[in-house]
Amino acid sequence: YAAFFLFVQHRQIRRSVQPLCADNPDRPRALVTLASAKGLVSTDLLGGSDPYVRLETGLFRGNTAAQHATCDPIWEEQFEIPFLLTDPSTSLLRLTIYDHDLTSGDDFLGTATLDLRALTDIETAINLRLLPRGDVEDAGAEPRGTLHLRGMVLRNGPVPTVDPAAVRAAATDAHRIVGDAFVALTRPGEDNAALTAHELAAGLRAVLERLGPLEAP
């Protein structure tokens, strides 16, 4: 029964957190939330900056709104970005922060790169250190700050949601079922291994069905 339980666990993990692979038949889209930045360079005469983020790949381009007079902007803006697994020019997301200026050209504040192929279908918080132009670290350069974002992959069809309470309840039930099966199998004087294995399989499948159908390998 232990082998069956580990097999079911493996299937459930694949359903919950599946990194992108080159042979994945879905054409992925990344959902990127530009949350905030901290410690940006001040460029305005009165202090602060009016920062916005430009997002660019080979297939996509977009901007956040500019935030006024701050070096610690908060955007909380979402972007849905298509990309191709076989083409790095579409999967490497360039994030560049500029200071918006109405009277002259926008000033460069810092840049970072995110590989969209590293995202999974569970939203993950990501902190990126902003670099000078060219992505080259310069020990003598003024600190550029940090960009905070969240990212995940959207697949074809509805986006799956997970209820944390349901997951906790299912884990508790699975633990109880496995414990009961172990007690039954180790009870002296009884030969009930086949019945116990059947009950274990049925119980665990019922628990997992509450969380949704299993994904085929």
Side-chain angles (χ1 to χ4, degrees):
Y1 72 86
F4 176 82
F5 179 63
L6 291 175
F7 167 74
V8 173
Q9 270 196 323
H10 174 70
R11 292 282 296 276
Q12 186 68 2
I13 290 172
R14 286 197 59 189
R15 184 173 71 89
S16 299
V17 185
Q18 183 183 16
L20 290 175
C21 301
D23 58 355
N24 193 315
D26 293 338
R27 173 170 293 183
R29 295 163 293 134
L31 183 65
V32 175
T33 301
L34 270 297
S36 62
K38 191 172 183 63
L40 299 182
V41 177
S42 176
T43 59
D44 293 345
L45 293 177
L46 299 179
S49 296
D50 302 322
Y52 68 93
V53 183
R54 177 169 297 161
L55 304 87
E56 295 177 289
T57 72
L59 293 176
F60 177 89
R61 182 169 179 173
N63 293 337
T64 68
Q67 300 299 309
H68 181 62
T70 179
C71 291
D72 302 314
I74 298 175
W75 294 287
E76 286 295 338
E77 294 187 36
Q78 284 189 337
F79 298 86
E80 190 172 310
I81 306 171
F83 64 100
L84 302 175
L85 293 166
T86 55
D87 186 353
S89 71
T90 71
S91 59
L92 294 178
L93 174 62
R94 167 76 66 178
L95 301 150
T96 307
I97 301 185
Y98 293 95
D99 169 45
H100 181 59
D101 197 324
L102 292 174
T103 60
S104 63
D106 294 348
D107 296 319
F108 170 84
L109 297 181
T111 186
T113 301
L114 174 65
D115 190 343
L116 301 177
R117 295 170 296 182
L119 300 177
T120 70
D121 49 13
I122 290 184
E123 187 176 57
T124 303
I126 301 167
N127 300 322
L128 299 176
R129 183 177 180 182
L130 295 168
L131 302 175
R133 292 188 187 275
D135 290 345
V136 177
E137 290 280 9
D138 183 351
E142 184 179 3
R144 295 282 173 174
T146 306
L147 181 62
H148 306 285
L149 55 97
R150 300 186 299 276
M152 66 180 293
V153 168
L154 300 177
R155 303 183 187 279
N156 293 335
V159 179
T161 58
V162 177
D163 180 1
V167 172
R168 286 193 296 270
T172 300
D173 288 347
H175 185 271
R176 175 183 54 78
I177 291 168
V178 172
D180 290 347
F182 179 79
V183 170
L185 285 171
T186 56
R187 187 177 297 127
E190 296 186 19
D191 184 13
N192 55 2
L195 177 60
T196 301
H198 174 76
E199 293 175 345
L200 174 64
L204 288 176
R205 181 158 294 278
V207 168
L208 294 178
E209 283 177 352
R210 298 213 312 265
L211 296 177
L214 290 174
E215 178 180 325

